[in-house]
Amino acid sequence: MTLFFGLVGLYLAAVCVIGLTQYHKTQDEAGFLVAGRTLGPVVGGATLMANQVSAGTTIGIVGFHYFSGISYAWTWPLVWVGWLVAAIFVAPKMRDFAGVTLPDFFAVRFGGTATRLLAAISILVVYTVLLTAQFQAGGILFGLVSGWRAPEAIALVAAITALYTVLGGMYGNAYVGLLKAGLLIGSYALAVPFLLRHLGGLQEIGAALHAIDPRLTAQWFSWRELIVISMAIGLGLAAAPYEIAAIYAMQSRRAVRLAIGWSFVFQALIGVGVLIFGLSMRVAVPYLPEPDLATPVLGLSILPPAIGMLVLLAAVVTITRTGGAILLTVASAVSHDLYGEVLKPDSTQRQRVLAGRLAVVAFTLVPAWLALAKLDLVNFVVIYAAKLMVSFFFVPLVGGLHWKRATGAGAFAGMLGGAVACLAWSLLPKPYPLGLDPAEVGVAASAALFFGVSLATATPPSSPPMRHLL
Amino acid sequence: MFPLGAAPRDFVYFSQPCVEVRALRFVAGSVAIPSTERGRGPWVDLMLDSAALASSQAESLLVGYEVGSSLRITSIPIIMPTAPSAATLALEAGAPRVARPVLPHFTPADSGRWTARLAALPSVVRVDRGQGDPPGSCARILEPGAAGTFGLRLGVFLATLALWVPLYFWWALRQDRGA
């Protein structure tokens, strides 16, 4: 425990150094929210990966592999289809647009403040759910390591997350993202060979899993379930406000495309690591009280102390870093879209940055409180937030980038209708009617409303930046 | 020693190649409880006689067994209930001698004694005895299909990842060349 908290202390010190060295660059909005548009392919790739690879991965997906075996691993390449959509249809144009937030795009593309407001409010709602998953996972991890009760453990994770977001903004997030990639890949590279050596190798693990339940070595999740989950996550990422902010922060279109490739490299290594972790833990400790404990128990009890503590530290960094990206996006929705563009358009840059920092503190509290209620297994919470996200943003964003006939009314209807349909469908008893997942219903409703309402309303004249993009 | 009551009456252990589990006994109070064994791949299920267990009226169950192995690094199977069970394990250097535990992580207590507090029981405790047959001299001989299609599925998955990354970079660099 002492070693663990020592490492967390070192991490905090590194975060403070990164935050303080970057602080002078974060005195205006472009510096604080999009790192002055200076990120290259490798740091950019680490940033994209670090946004995606959250507690849902290091705690949640390990737990998923623990209870469901190998089949969930296919969500990695399936989610990458969403990244391909981003690389082809979204990222280059959004980088050229060079906004600060995703609602910026909707406001410029469709005019008026209605779509900006709706997008900003939806970010606050969806990202509160996503941040809850991070804090819940952090609470499990710190609680098990320290023996603290959930409120103290969650409060510590929330405080660490808020601290470096306030200090470093997007610069801090980018460099902590690189640190996170190094820690994850380094600790997994040490842990995986140890597990394979001492559990008899992959075939031995496979035989043990197959004997527990043949679905563990085959298809626990059906292909349809995997595709729906992956499309919700992947297409949601293509339109995710925090990934769009990272795309704005990159140097050029070329840097964006290459960064997506680098994020694939990082994700592939991490994906193999979490797969081996989950499968090995099912053999090493077959009766855990709950699957989300697989990573904490692995780090604390199964691996040698030095490697185990590195794995746990990587999980802490993952939780707090993704939490930081989420908080930064929430801060930008408040400071830039609500405060700067709607409530007080004549505000100075310093006032907006201050509003963003205050928003970080304020929006740390609600998810911390929700995390105490423990909504579900961590990865289920992450998947639910992704379903809401893809139902809300995907169709209006891609349609707005590529369809000249799209209108503000169509975008507004698509966003609201998609989110409401997804939410309403998810409240129905399972199995869902017609076997349709809430994400499928949300995206279908969003598309129907976006195209239908756009065709039924007059096309506004496009603004100069949009003429260039479209 | 396991508390009885609502706990399941079935136990399981993860058999290990070249490691023999013998003299297995379950005792509730002073009553020996008969059990039946059933192999399930490398796992061995142990079903206790529920009538004998009920008649014992004991509050806890003692599980005892001996393990024989000639390997230097040996995996000692842990006989565990088929439900989550937090535990404190103690390991003592006796006969046969244990030089150091390898897995899970134990904390040294006294000279030649280690303890581990665990959220759930591990399937094996792996120890280095400091002497014996070298690691790798004994491996389980798996029957064909023992792991189902695990190897094939894992291979296809890894190949997909390994192919995807260079193909993507090839595409991305072509886009920039054309731009």
Side-chain angles (χ1 to χ4, degrees):
Chain A
M1 190 172 107
T2 311
L3 178 60
F4 174 73
F5 279 103
L7 286 171
V8 171
L10 269 179
Y11 162 59
L12 271 178
V15 162
C16 288
V17 169
I18 290 172
L20 291 171
T21 55
Q22 305 300 321
Y23 193 80
H24 68 283
K25 298 179 185 173
T26 62
Q27 300 303 303
D28 61 16
E29 267 198 329
F32 185 62
L33 299 176
V34 291
R37 309 189 200 285
T38 57
L39 303 187
V42 177
V43 178
T47 304
L48 295 176
M49 175 282 294
N51 289 345
Q52 178 191 338
V53 171
S54 67
T57 307
T58 53
I59 303 286
I61 295 184
V62 174
F64 260 44
H65 287 309
Y66 179 90
F67 84 78
S68 69
I70 189 174
S71 61
Y72 197 79
W74 282 103
T75 55
W76 289 99
L78 289 170
V79 164
W80 291 358
V81 174
W83 275 114
L84 265 190
V85 170
I88 297 168
F89 297 110
V90 178
K93 285 197 171 198
M94 289 306 280
R95 176 58 193 85
D96 285 352
F97 173 67
V100 173
T101 65
L102 179 57
D104 266 350
F105 168 75
F106 290 120
V108 175
R109 171 67 178 85
F110 299 115
T113 55
T115 47
R116 180 193 290 276
L117 261 179
L118 183 62
I121 291 167
S122 80
I123 287 171
L124 301 186
V125 173
V126 174
Y127 276 19
T128 295
V129 176
L130 200 54
L131 194 52
T132 300
Q134 312 306 313
F135 290 170
Q136 187 178 311
I140 291 170
L141 199 155
F142 275 91
L144 192 72
V145 173
S146 64
W148 293 359
R149 293 183 313 120
E152 287 90 2
I154 289 170
L156 179 64
V157 176
I160 295 171
T161 307
L163 175 71
Y164 87 75
T165 310
V166 168
L167 283 175
M170 178 61 89
Y171 278 113
N173 256 338
Y175 289 103
V176 175
L178 200 59
L179 174 71
K180 169 174 165 176
L183 255 177
L184 279 168
I185 294 168
S187 61
Y188 287 18
L190 294 170
V192 166
F194 175 88
L195 288 170
L196 294 180
R197 186 167 72 248
H198 290 291
L199 293 173
L202 280 170
Q203 278 302 312
E204 175 88 5
I205 290 171
L209 292 170
H210 191 68
I212 292 172
D213 186 332
R215 291 177 299 169
L216 293 173
T217 54
Q219 291 293 136
W220 184 286
F221 290 103
S222 68
W223 280 107
R224 183 185 158 78
E225 287 174 308
L226 293 173
I227 289 169
V228 168
I229 291 171
S230 304
M231 288 304 108
I233 295 172
L235 298 180
L237 284 167
Y242 58 12
E243 297 294 17
I244 298 294
I247 287 164
Y248 286 151
M250 289 185 213
Q251 293 162 350
S252 62
R253 290 166 73 108
R254 175 187 166 83
V256 171
R257 284 207 191 89
L258 292 178
I260 291 174
W262 277 105
S263 95
F264 288 153
V265 173
F266 296 133
Q267 289 179 53
L269 296 170
I270 292 163
V272 173
V274 296
L275 172 66
I276 302 297
F277 281 5
L279 301 183
S280 301
M281 279 302 286
R282 186 62 186 267
V283 175
V285 190
Y287 296 101
L288 280 174
E290 58 176 302
D292 278 346
L293 285 173
T295 296
V297 172
L298 172 73
L300 197 61
S301 302
I302 300 301
L303 295 169
I307 301 175
M309 291 303 119
L310 276 180
V311 168
L312 292 183
L313 181 66
V316 170
V317 174
T318 299
I319 291 163
T320 53
R321 164 60 181 76
T322 303
I326 295 167
L327 273 177
L328 198 60
T329 310
V330 167
S332 66
V334 171
S335 67
H336 181 80
D337 295 305
L338 296 179
Y339 179 75
E341 298 291 334
V342 178
L343 293 176
K344 199 174 178 193
D346 59 343
S347 54
T348 64
Q349 290 282 316
R350 277 185 174 273
Q351 285 173 322
R352 291 186 184 197
V353 171
L354 179 64
R357 291 192 162 119
L358 290 174
V360 167
V361 177
F363 276 86
T364 301
L365 300 177
V366 177
W369 175 72
L370 283 173
L372 285 172
K374 197 166 185 286
L375 300 179
D376 201 335
L377 282 184
V378 168
N379 205 34
F380 280 125
V381 181
V382 171
I383 290 170
Y384 188 68
K387 287 177 180 178
L388 278 176
M389 188 105 68
V390 74
S391 303
F392 201 98
F393 286 120
F394 182 70
V395 174
L397 176 63
V398 178
L401 280 169
H402 294 277
W403 191 42
K404 289 183 181 175
R405 184 68 184 74
T407 68
F412 191 91
M415 286 182 197
L416 195 59
V420 169
C422 176
L423 193 63
W425 204 261
S426 65
L427 295 175
L428 295 175
K430 290 182 183 176
Y432 294 118
L434 309 172
L436 291 174
D437 188 86
E440 293 172 300
V441 174
V443 171
S446 178
L449 286 164
F450 176 76
F451 291 111
V453 174
S454 288
L455 289 172
T457 48
T459 316
S462 57
S463 58
M466 282 303 120
R467 274 199 289 278
H468 168 67
L469 271 186
L470 292 169
Chain B
M1 186 83 81
F2 295 97
L4 288 171
R9 309 298 164 85
D10 293 339
F11 286 74
V12 66
Y13 72 88
F14 188 30
S15 68
Q16 295 295 308
C18 309
V19 175
E20 186 190 359
V21 173
R22 57 187 180 230
L24 174 61
R25 62 199 181 280
F26 293 94
V27 180
S30 57
V31 181
I33 308 296
S35 65
T36 51
E37 278 191 20
R38 187 187 63 196
R40 184 168 45 95
W43 303 94
V44 178
D45 294 325
L46 302 163
M47 277 97 31
L48 271 57
D49 184 324
S50 52
L53 202 56
S55 67
S56 74
Q57 295 185 326
E59 291 181 353
S60 59
L61 181 74
L62 178 74
V63 183
Y65 58 103
E66 294 171 10
V67 174
S69 170
S70 61
L71 296 171
R72 179 187 156 179
I73 297 179
T74 298
S75 293
I76 302 170
I78 300 296
I79 295 180
M80 64 181 111
T82 55
S85 180
T88 300
L89 296 181
L91 198 61
E92 286 185 36
R97 184 177 154 70
V98 172
R100 68 180 179 96
V102 178
L103 178 156
H105 169 57
F106 281 77
T107 307
D110 309 314
S111 172
R113 192 165 183 275
W114 297 268
T115 60
R117 270 185 58 227
L118 301 160
L121 278 169
S123 56
V124 292
V125 169
R126 203 156 157 79
V127 296
D128 185 347
R129 299 190 302 136
Q131 58 189 21
D133 297 340
S137 64
C138 184
R140 195 191 306 274
I141 298 164
L142 293 170
E143 291 175 14
T149 52
F150 178 71
L152 176 68
R153 285 170 188 272
L154 186 65
V156 173
F157 169 69
L158 295 176
T160 304
L161 300 190
L163 276 173
W164 185 294
V165 173
L167 278 175
Y168 176 83
F169 274 115
W170 173 78
W171 171 83
L173 291 169
R174 272 174 62 92
Q175 296 300 306
D176 290 315
R177 208 171 291 141

